[in-house]
Amino acid sequence: MNILILGSGGRESAFAWKLSQSPKCQQLFIAPGNAGTGQYGTNLNIGVNDFAGIKQAVLAHNINLVLVGPEEPLVRGVHDFFLADAELKNIPVIGPQQQGAQLEGSKDFSKQFMARHNIPAAKSETFTRDTVQEGLAYLPTIGLPIVLKADGLAAGKGVLICLTLQEAELELVDMLTNAKFGDASSKVVVEQFLQGIELSVFVLTDGNNYKILPSAKDYKRIGEGDTGLNTGGMGSVSPVPFADAAFLNKVEQRIIIPTIEGLKQEGIPYKGFIFIGLMNCDGDPYMIEYNCRMGDPETESVLPRIESDFVELLLGVAEGNLNEKELVLSGKVAATVVMVAGGYPGEYLKDKVITGMENVRESHVFHAGTGLNDMDEVKTTGGRVLAITSLQDNLFDALQQATADASRIYYDGMYFRKDIGFDLL
Ligand code: AMP
């Protein structure tokens, strides 16, 4: 079959690498892809939100299945667009329709969903411009720090953790009345702070059956020792050592089953990934957030640990028989180190030639923000440039190899964290 992946990051590189290994995958296309995805398939110069362009490509290349990487096209309704089009409606899309994507697209929707299905989560209330005063009155009732979340998509920047009441008051007003995050903050969820260690659990579902994919932990801060500004993600490891069978059983019973059952009860169709962002609070899992797609850079650690044919699993989602498919996991440990551009996550350097990738010994190099220059050399184009993943027998070796291999690559302004995962050893 012919498969189209939408997206251009490290996550989509890992998907392309994995899908291209399947005997079921005849031709693979990635739109728009990056300089690395071209190794596994054909890049198409189409944006992920260009639905008309995607339709043209799907028909021109006889695509039989579409895998959506990022959240934005899902929240904008790419799956609904396929279902509403006579020529596309029978082509399966992996990723929920707009309604299901609201689990990520609206924090207020997702908090209400959690409450309706008794899924453990931080206490919260939602406020709008018309209820700012009520919001200000609510702030002192939930203790410090106070978490403020813009309701809509805000490119990962819409969550503020306020250490003082005064800061929370200023930010709440700024978000609601001054549209700090544009339309995304026309509603704000005010939430109690959860103390614990974060991790992510990934579920693949056909809307009825589900498979629990490997868990992962990601590292969001730019600086070593988890300091400095937030980024899209500086590294990840899978599995998470503290997410043992007993903990994962609680996650399944208290969160995954109620989520799948809740979607069914509410008549919300869902075919795709559910990213469950969790806090481990003294051995009990609490929901932080849902995402309607896989994480990046968690995908780069999770997929190398899946031994089964991933196309088969996606077909199970499309055909509604995921329960008949086998999910075989590797006992090995994966560590991913993300290499970023100088200056990231602020204004960052671009168009720097990347050298040394041929020297990598024990890792996969997943491209993210890369492109080709006029001389066909690989250059940097984005903030997160490469994701280096090593799969080894134990966490220490995986971390050491991924870090050593990252050091074998060079471009002006290159930076990566050398402490990813070492807190878990
Ligand atoms: P979200 O976009 O909801 O994942 O929030 C972004 C990040 O903010 C999370 O990955 C957490 O590190 C942090 N965060 C969000 N909600 C809470 C909370 N209730 N308590 C503690 N940290 C939180």
Side-chain angles (χ1 to χ4, degrees):
M1 53 194 295
N2 296 340
I3 301 176
L4 171 65
I5 300 174
L6 297 184
S8 61
R11 169 182 50 212
E12 289 75 21
S13 291
F15 274 135
W17 165 79
K18 185 72 185 156
L19 296 183
S20 68
Q21 294 165 16
S22 168
K24 287 237 150 122
C25 180
Q26 218 160 22
Q27 280 187 286
L28 181 65
F29 297 88
I30 309 97
N34 56 45
T37 51
Q39 299 166 60
Y40 313 115
T42 306
N43 288 340
L44 303 173
N45 189 16
I46 303 165
V48 295
N49 297 314
D50 175 5
F51 295 176
I54 292 168
K55 173 177 175 176
Q56 249 183 358
V58 164
L59 297 177
H61 299 289
N62 292 316
I63 299 294
N64 309 109
L65 183 130
V66 179
L67 169 60
V68 185
E71 64 280 12
E72 208 184 331
L74 294 168
V75 173
R76 288 180 180 222
V78 70
H79 194 154
D80 312 67
F81 171 82
F82 270 64
L83 291 173
D85 187 297
E87 291 175 287
L88 300 179
K89 67 176 188 223
N90 294 320
I91 298 167
V93 175
I94 307 298
Q97 294 162 55
Q98 216 162 15
Q99 208 187 356
Q102 285 300 294
L103 282 184
E104 175 164 5
S106 165
K107 302 263 189 212
D108 179 44
F109 174 88
S110 74
K111 291 292 301 200
Q112 291 192 28
F113 180 88
M114 292 171 209
R116 280 197 295 278
H117 301 288
N118 295 316
I119 295 170
K123 189 177 151 202
S124 71
E125 296 240 355
T126 301
F127 301 95
T128 64
R129 185 188 273 240
D130 296 333
T131 56
V132 180
Q133 290 311 319
E134 287 90 329
L136 290 171
Y138 181 69
L139 293 176
T141 68
I142 54 165
L144 290 172
I146 297 169
V147 184
L148 302 182
K149 299 183 168 181
D151 176 57
L153 292 185
K157 298 195 170 73
V159 175
L160 302 176
I161 311 236
C162 303
L163 299 180
T164 65
L165 180 59
Q166 196 185 25
E167 185 190 351
E169 287 169 349
L170 288 173
E171 293 289 1
L172 182 65
V173 171
D174 206 20
M175 286 167 95
L176 286 174
T177 56
N178 304 334
K180 176 168 181 158
F181 298 106
D183 267 359
S185 65
S186 60
K187 278 188 199 170
V188 173
V189 175
V190 178
E191 189 171 287
Q192 203 171 35
F193 183 80
L194 294 170
Q195 199 82 48
I197 312 181
E198 265 183 89
L199 74 153
S200 309
V201 174
F202 302 95
V203 176
L204 182 63
T205 180
D206 60 12
N208 193 29
N209 310 290
Y210 64 87
K211 299 274 186 213
I212 304 177
L213 305 180
S215 60
K217 182 174 183 338
D218 81 330
Y219 292 79
K220 283 257 183 297
R221 302 296 189 99
I222 187 73
E224 289 176 5
D226 287 330
T227 54
L229 293 174
N230 256 326
T231 70
M234 296 298 292
S236 61
V237 300
S238 175
V240 183
F242 61 80
D244 56 14
F247 181 80
L248 289 174
N249 185 45
K250 289 182 192 170
V251 175
E252 183 168 13
Q253 298 303 323
R254 298 178 192 175
I255 294 173
I256 296 174
I257 294 175
T259 299
I260 304 286
E261 289 304 314
L263 289 167
K264 276 202 275 187
Q265 268 171 30
E266 297 190 20
I268 301 175
Y270 201 109
K271 283 180 181 290
F273 298 97
I274 309 179
F275 168 135
I276 294 179
L278 292 174
M279 196 69 89
N280 175 357
C281 302
D282 287 329
D284 287 316
Y286 284 82
M287 275 303 290
I288 296 180
E289 61 164 349
Y290 290 110
N291 289 327
C292 61
R293 35 84 196 173
M294 285 295 287
D296 189 353
E298 293 96 326
T299 307
E300 293 93 303
S301 287
V302 166
L303 287 186
R305 296 195 52 238
I306 296 178
E307 291 180 347
S308 327
D309 184 331
F310 209 67
V311 174
E312 279 291 349
L313 286 163
L314 297 184
L315 280 173
V317 172
E319 291 164 3
N321 58 0
L322 189 57
N323 54 323
E324 293 166 22
K325 307 288 177 180
E326 206 186 13
L327 174 64
V328 180
L329 301 184
S330 153
K332 293 194 173 191
V333 177
T336 299
V337 170
V338 174
M339 303 181 65
V340 302
Y344 177 82
E347 191 74 16
Y348 55 81
L349 299 172
K350 280 190 194 143
D351 298 327
K352 301 297 177 192
V353 173
I354 305 172
T355 55
M357 284 188 284
E358 67 285 3
N359 298 328
V360 165
R361 293 180 197 160
E362 292 265 350
S363 307
H364 303 287
V365 178
F366 295 123
H367 287 233
T370 68
L372 296 176
N373 66 15
D374 295 344
M375 292 154 72
D376 263 357
E377 295 166 317
V378 179
K379 63 169 187 177
T380 71
T381 58
R384 291 193 292 163
V385 176
L386 299 167
I388 313 299
T389 299
S390 204
L391 187 69
Q392 302 291 339
D393 290 336
N394 60 62
L395 181 57
F396 183 80
D397 288 351
L399 294 168
Q400 209 180 33
Q401 291 300 340
T403 309
D405 275 331
S407 312
R408 296 186 171 103
I409 298 174
Y410 180 80
Y411 51 87
D412 285 346
M414 171 203 81
Y415 169 75
F416 61 90
R417 275 179 61 172
K418 297 181 189 66
D419 68 332
I420 298 299
F422 281 91
D423 57 317
L424 300 173
L425 288 174

